[in-house]
């Protein structure tokens, strides 16, 4: 379980390394173009359920910390699907990994 650590207060969001690797690719692409977006995720029952959103902006400090030392393989189809959500009015939604092509 990795962490996305965001903002000057160091908000820590626990995210599976595989999911985090895909988020990192999308965030990198968006920030390189100077684009901001909303990142949305659902909390599990241990966190009290519910949902959260944060405004991702290239000027706000971001630290991505992976638990494992080996980078997980990247699924291009999943990255494209995440990018579509990141470009939408509702922002990026952490959708499930598509099955099939990777």
């Amino acid at each position: 379980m990795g962490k996305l650590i965001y903002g000057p207060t160091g908000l820590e969001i626990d995210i599976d390394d595989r999911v985090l690797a895909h988020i990192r690719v999308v965030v990198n692409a968006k920030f390189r173009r100077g684009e901001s977006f909303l990142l949305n995720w659902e909390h599990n029952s241990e966190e009290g359920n519910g949902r959260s959103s944060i405004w991702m902006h290239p000027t706000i400090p971001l630290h991505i910390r992976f638990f494992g030392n080996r980078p997980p393989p990247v699924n291009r189809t999943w990255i494209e699907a995440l990018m579509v959500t990141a470009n939408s009015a509702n922002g990026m939604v952490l959708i499930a990994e598509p099955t099939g092509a990777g």
Side-chain angles (χ1 to χ4, degrees):
M1 185 70 64
K3 289 189 182 291
L4 188 147
I5 305 165
Y6 191 69
T9 61
L11 171 67
E12 293 189 9
I13 305 159
D14 292 330
I15 302 175
D16 176 78
D17 275 6
R18 181 154 176 78
V19 177
L20 196 54
H22 289 77
I23 292 171
R24 183 180 68 172
V25 172
V26 174
V27 167
N28 186 43
K30 298 283 284 175
F31 283 4
R32 286 180 60 164
R33 292 189 299 256
E35 297 174 359
S36 309
F37 64 99
L38 198 62
L39 173 62
N40 306 285
W41 70 95
E42 292 183 8
H43 297 277
N44 60 34
S45 58
E46 295 160 3
E47 298 173 313
N49 295 321
R51 301 177 309 226
S52 287
S53 299
I54 55 174
W55 184 248
M56 301 289 288
H57 191 277
T59 63
I60 298 175
L62 171 66
H63 176 166
I64 295 175
R65 181 166 186 230
F66 294 97
F67 178 76
N69 4 342
R70 291 187 177 193
V74 176
N75 179 331
R76 289 316 244 163
T77 304
W78 195 10
I79 289 171
E80 290 168 10
L82 288 169
M83 186 61 83
V84 167
T85 68
N87 290 330
S88 73
N90 291 325
M92 182 193 285
V93 178
L94 301 184
I95 58 175
E97 181 172 8
T99 56

